[in-house]
Amino acid sequence: RARGILNAVREEYKNTGNAAVQPNAVPYMTTVKAFALNQVFDAAEQVSGVLEDMVHDYKTLNSTCRPTVSILQEALFIISCNRNSQISMLEKADRIVEIAQELKITTHRKFWNTYIAVCGRELEHKEEAWKAAQLAFDNLHSSEFSVDANTYVLMLRACSNLMESSSSLVLTPEDEAREARRKGIILELVKRCKKDGMFKSKVERVVETLGVQIPAAVPVEIQERAPLPAQMQETVDDEEQDFGERENDDHGEDRLEPAIKVDLPPMPKP
């Protein structure tokens, strides 16, 4: 119903040019949040459609409805909660990244944390999703204040979901190689997390569920990452909110936040 009302207003403005019904970003955000609140089965598809309409209108006839980072982040969260196994969450998330890059929208850590959450819940293209999550994490990590405990929580969950342990009692050589890789990545993430001073209780709880023994001193070397070609603004926003719970967190409020301007290269495609 919310999308139907929005489309009626869009059509009225298109046909009449009446400034009184010219939609700005607010009705688009309201429509996106309506899908989040009502947990519609095809919410990911619907929200993707709303964003495409918004981008089209902004480019063609309505400069007041420029997409904001809050709308894009809310859309990413809805996609991360997708229950329709027939769609690729990664594909839709990558499209949102493309919109942000195309319109030069300044993104922030919460945006990329939510993107990593989407990658971690991809149902089909798991290897490509893991590559995309790693790319986002590595780019964020290249800035001193760019990651937080939530970033590590989401990366650990992504590793767990995308590289599941074999349930077979007898492991094949392929299973053993995959398990060794999984454990190595977890150890690497824990090492980085400790080095960054972010090994908090929420991270410990996730590590405990992964079935990997973490030694007191993790013997994994940290490889230096190449700096981003794009300039990044430092952020000191301390996000204790864990994605998936979203308690007392109004993602719909389009407020000013300490931001990181990130221009990532295109995400890997299946």
Side-chain angles (χ1 to χ4, degrees):
R1 182 178 179 183
R3 191 176 183 188
I5 295 172
L6 173 61
N7 286 338
V9 173
R10 292 175 59 234
E11 192 67 20
E12 177 70 14
Y13 176 69
K14 179 180 178 181
N15 293 333
T16 66
N18 183 357
V21 295
Q22 182 180 20
N24 56 20
V26 174
Y28 291 92
M29 172 57 96
T30 303
T31 303
V32 169
K33 288 183 73 66
F35 286 109
L37 294 172
N38 290 281
Q39 299 181 343
V40 180
F41 177 76
D42 62 343
E45 289 280 4
Q46 294 283 353
V47 166
S48 296
V50 171
L51 282 182
E52 294 298 342
D53 290 343
M54 189 178 192
V55 172
H56 175 268
D57 290 355
Y58 172 68
K59 288 181 175 180
T60 57
L61 52 84
N62 187 0
S63 61
T64 66
C65 66
R66 186 175 188 270
T68 65
V69 66
S70 293
I71 292 176
L72 298 184
Q73 183 195 334
E74 188 73 22
L76 279 174
F77 177 79
I78 293 170
I79 292 171
S80 76
C81 298
N82 169 64
R83 294 177 293 167
N84 183 355
S85 61
Q86 301 303 310
I87 70 169
S88 169
M89 292 188 287
L90 179 61
E91 181 178 331
K92 294 192 175 301
D94 283 350
R95 173 54 184 152
I96 292 177
V97 171
E98 290 174 3
I99 291 173
Q101 293 174 333
E102 181 182 350
L103 301 182
K104 302 186 185 305
I105 297 172
T106 298
T107 56
H108 47 53
R109 182 169 57 198
K110 283 186 176 181
F111 175 91
W112 292 106
N113 277 357
T114 314
Y115 177 86
I116 292 172
V118 175
C119 294
R121 295 172 182 173
E122 170 66 23
L123 301 174
E124 294 295 329
H125 309 291
K126 293 190 174 184
E127 184 64 29
E128 295 302 321
W130 177 245
K131 291 178 182 178
Q134 283 185 306
L135 179 59
F137 176 84
D138 286 346
N139 278 280
L140 284 177
H141 196 273
S142 65
S143 177
E144 181 180 359
F145 298 104
S146 63
V147 297
D148 63 359
N150 285 326
T151 314
Y152 282 102
V153 165
L154 293 165
M155 283 297 291
L156 287 165
R157 286 177 178 170
C159 180
S160 176
N161 294 337
L162 300 175
M163 288 182 280
E164 298 175 319
S165 299
S166 173
S167 58
S168 176
L169 295 177
V170 180
L171 298 181
T172 66
E174 291 77 12
D175 291 335
E176 292 177 349
R178 185 168 55 250
E179 183 63 15
R181 178 191 178 207
R182 173 179 171 271
K183 289 181 178 179
I185 290 172
I186 292 171
L187 290 173
E188 171 92 3
L189 287 169
V190 170
K191 179 71 174 181
R192 288 174 177 273
C193 188
K194 288 184 175 182
K195 183 180 179 181
D196 292 340
M198 295 178 186
F199 199 69
K200 302 179 181 181
S201 59
K202 63 167 65 177
V203 181
E204 290 186 82
R205 289 195 298 270
V206 174
V207 171
E208 289 172 357
T209 68
L210 299 181
V212 177
Q213 186 66 35
I214 307 295
V218 184
V220 178
E221 293 296 327
I222 298 295
Q223 297 180 356
E224 294 298 326
R225 302 290 179 178
L228 278 177
Q231 292 184 347
M232 299 179 68
Q233 301 174 18
E234 293 180 350
T235 175
V236 293
D237 184 20
D238 184 16
E239 301 164 16
E240 291 301 318
Q241 163 67 30
D242 188 7
F243 285 91
E245 297 175 1
R246 290 171 49 123
E247 295 176 351
N248 302 318
D249 187 26
D250 184 6
H251 289 254
E253 183 182 359
D254 196 12
R255 57 189 179 279
L256 293 176
E257 301 184 51
I260 308 170
K261 184 176 178 59
V262 186
D263 296 316
L264 294 178
M267 294 297 176
K269 294 290 186 182

